[in-house]
Amino acid sequence: MSDFIIDVAPVQGHTDAAWRHFHKSIYGGCQSYYTPFIRLERGDFRKHDLKDYTSELNGNHEVAAQVIFRDMAELRPLIEGLEERGVKRIDLNTGCPFPLQTAKGRGAGFIANREEYFRIPSLLKEHGDVEFSLKMRLGYSDPDEWRGVMPAISDMPLKHVTLHPRVARQQYGGDLYLDRFGDFLKACPHPVVFNGDIRTPEDIERAKTSFPGIAGVMTARGVLGRPSLIAEFEEGKEWSREQRLEKMLHFHRELLCHYESTLCGDSQILSKIKPFWEYAEEEIGRKAWKAVKKASNIAKYHSAVAMI
Ligand SMILES: Cc1cc2nc3c(=O)[nH]c(=O)nc-3n(C[C@H](O)[C@H](O)[C@H](O)COP(=O)(O)O)c2cc1C
């Protein structure tokens, strides 16, 4: 087994415990997963976040708990609370560009808070039994902002750093700063994982060829839209479209079954399962994709899926 890291990124509203569970059971693979970010609300964990992390569905895959925080007063109880619950892997989110989080100094908004940033290493060192990783962008609006925090990053005890080489202002579009990714890779003493616009097995190969020093790749929208992406890469050959769609339909049937048995009523179920198709337009075709989006009850959802 290669030690090249393949990570399925955390994506709020998509990569929940059920998605991760059925993705792993249907596609196999050596990938690791992350919970969507966990944060404190009025000083305490949100029930919804804990439910995801403590779900029995996590039993079949390796999952890190991801946390988002604005200072050590938030990060400390997050780490301690998770450690008390037996968590051994924690990922620090310092890359989220959602304005609701950045405006409060969390995610990509945290990089501006130098004083607190430089306090992270000593806090992590107090928790030697936990394995930490860091997920980040190049900066909030300046693609060289990371340079100012590299001494703190270097001093953190980290398994790896995942870098999405965009700035937060770009959100999820616009060109990747590949030159800055190269600079970061040279400057960072930790293993570095490449994240951003990995959609096909060739994209993974291209990342490996362009940056031979990377420790691995992380994919978010790519694997959501083409869930077989990692299996195809690991097998060393692309699957046919028929093969991909057959497996994908099976995957989505399992998700539907799961949510039909745990939620009540069409609208609750649909609000959970329709987003799972959000990034699959290219894979399933525009007509079916639009029909899924419009489906207002389960019968219409089935008709939409039958168009694939
Ligand atoms: C709707 C949405 C929700 C996301 N939620 C999270 C999150 O909870 N934690 C996180 O670190 N990144 C989150 N991300 C960012 C992804 O993990 C990833 O870094 C980003 O989409 C770039 O990778 P990609 O080009 O493979 O999609 C989210 C992205 C999207 C589009």
Side-chain angles (χ1 to χ4, degrees):
M1 197 166 65
S2 141
D3 53 8
F4 188 73
I5 297 169
I6 309 247
D7 278 343
V8 173
V11 181
Q12 287 286 333
H14 296 257
T15 59
D16 61 10
W19 189 95
R20 300 190 303 265
H21 176 87
F22 292 110
H23 184 261
K24 176 72 179 187
S25 68
I26 289 165
Y27 292 97
C30 304
Q31 65 278 5
S32 298
Y33 299 83
Y34 294 76
T35 66
F37 64 71
I38 297 172
R39 66 177 169 84
L40 294 181
E41 199 169 68
R42 286 184 276 280
D44 208 352
F45 283 87
R46 297 183 304 168
K47 278 204 180 72
H48 167 83
D49 292 340
L50 287 181
K51 205 170 140 202
D52 186 80
Y53 191 79
T54 54
S55 167
E56 285 177 3
L57 292 167
N58 289 317
N60 73 339
H61 61 277
E62 214 175 280
V63 62
Q66 190 192 63
V67 294
I68 196 166
F69 51 90
R70 70 168 160 236
D71 52 23
M72 297 310 100
E74 282 194 347
L75 183 56
R76 180 180 290 282
L78 279 164
I79 295 176
E80 288 175 359
L82 288 169
E83 206 178 1
E84 272 165 28
R85 290 169 173 88
V87 173
K88 294 276 179 254
R89 273 273 291 119
I90 297 181
D91 186 65
L92 311 180
N93 178 334
T94 59
C96 177
F98 297 162
L100 271 177
Q101 297 306 323
T102 56
K104 293 189 177 117
R106 300 195 185 102
F110 184 71
I111 199 166
N113 191 348
R114 291 295 158 86
E115 211 179 312
E116 286 293 306
Y117 208 111
F118 278 78
R119 290 195 174 125
I120 298 182
S122 58
L123 176 55
L124 301 192
K125 286 173 193 168
E126 288 173 30
H127 298 272
D129 290 340
V130 178
E131 195 170 50
F132 292 101
S133 53
L134 178 72
K135 185 164 180 282
M136 62 184 288
R137 293 194 177 222
L138 293 167
Y140 187 79
S141 50
D142 170 6
D144 286 312
E145 220 170 336
W146 59 273
R147 295 181 197 274
V149 292
M150 187 48 88
I153 295 173
S154 302
D155 195 24
M156 293 179 201
L158 296 176
K159 177 176 177 279
H160 63 254
V161 179
T162 305
L163 178 65
H164 178 192
R166 284 193 171 98
V167 293
R169 271 207 201 286
Q170 290 174 288
Q171 296 284 332
Y172 298 100
D175 290 343
L176 295 167
Y177 287 93
L178 294 177
D179 55 339
R180 301 308 203 290
F181 184 87
D183 293 348
F184 185 95
L185 188 58
K186 275 192 218 124
C188 183
H190 306 294
V192 177
V193 171
F194 180 91
N195 169 231
D197 298 354
I198 298 268
R199 296 207 162 86
T200 62
E202 302 94 82
D203 291 338
I204 304 181
E205 285 300 347
R206 196 171 310 118
K208 283 180 84 169
T209 316
S210 309
F211 302 108
I214 55 172
V217 294
M218 173 183 268
T219 165
R221 292 164 295 177
V223 73
L224 288 168
R226 180 172 172 167
S228 52
L229 170 59
I230 296 165
E232 293 178 71
F233 171 73
E234 285 180 350
E235 280 175 27
K237 68 172 174 52
E238 284 210 18
W239 295 2
S240 68
R241 195 176 148 69
E242 290 69 38
Q243 209 182 349
R244 299 205 303 265
L245 289 181
E246 192 190 321
K247 203 73 152 186
M248 191 174 183
L249 288 168
H250 175 197
F251 178 35
H252 284 265
R253 266 197 309 275
E254 293 287 343
L255 286 167
L256 175 61
C257 264
H258 170 76
Y259 281 112
E260 279 183 330
S261 67
T262 53
L263 298 175
C264 242
D266 285 15
S267 77
Q268 261 199 45
I269 297 167
L270 287 174
S271 70
K272 197 67 218 175
I273 58 168
K274 278 170 34 173
F276 292 139
W277 294 98
E278 192 169 334
Y279 300 103
E281 180 180 348
E282 208 180 308
E283 196 70 349
I284 66 174
R286 184 154 182 80
K287 210 170 148 209
W289 182 80
K290 276 182 85 173
V292 167
K293 241 182 139 88
K294 272 175 58 187
S296 51
N297 57 45
I298 297 285
K300 286 184 179 154
Y301 173 83
H302 282 302
S303 312
V305 171
M307 290 178 181
I308 296 170

